Amino acid sequence: MHAIRLRGPWEYEPLEVLGGGPLPPAGKVKMPCHWAATLGATFRGSVLFRRIFHTPTGLDLDEQVWLVFDAIRGRGDVHLNDQPLGQFSTEDCPARYNITSLLTDDANTLTVQIEHTGDQPGGLVGDVRLEIED
């Protein structure tokens, strides 16, 4: 197995503040992290994270590419190149998705919308990576 960590840069865009109120500005961040440093320790709501990456080169025909999330605080809704992969939450981690058939020859766009209302700041708090397996 070979792993490629998707640490950064990730773009983020707050979508909703729990209980209403103004949205914090969008920005960029490296993963893994929780959103306290960028959105504030008391932010609860929904945030869209976006990461563009290229398809790994030199893949053999029998190799599979998996997208792996080690840890999340909240509930995540995952899309790759506008195709839904599924949903996962804190309890489901690590979460794995076979993305081999969805990879493009150009750049790939990964989006994760996280909703979080818990006591601690939410976010992708564990590694996000591609795993290449025979």
Side-chain angles (χ1 to χ4, degrees), residues 39-121:
L39 301 174
T42 60
F43 179 87
R44 300 298 180 266
S46 179
V47 178
L48 181 69
F49 291 91
R50 184 179 302 110
R51 172 71 157 82
I52 296 174
F53 65 93
H54 294 282
T55 299
T57 59
L59 292 174
D60 291 334
L61 291 175
D62 62 337
E63 290 182 309
Q64 300 290 307
V65 181
W66 293 81
L67 175 63
V68 181
F69 296 88
D70 279 343
I72 185 176
R73 280 198 201 130
R75 185 186 67 76
D77 188 11
V78 184
H79 288 77
L80 180 64
N81 299 325
D82 295 321
Q83 298 296 313
L85 297 179
Q87 297 179 340
F88 67 105
S89 64
T90 303
E91 297 80 24
D92 299 324
C93 287
R96 293 172 44 95
Y97 302 94
N98 186 332
I99 60 170
T100 309
S101 65
L102 298 176
L103 295 170
T104 67
D105 292 336
D106 297 318
N108 298 282
T109 302
L110 171 62
T111 59
V112 183
Q113 183 174 335
I114 298 177
E115 295 178 18
H116 182 62
T117 59
D119 294 337
Q120 298 178 326

Side-chain angles (χ1 to χ4, degrees), residues 10-14 25-29:
W10 287 70
E11 297 174 354
Y12 66 88
E13 177 186 356
K28 292 185 180 185
V29 68

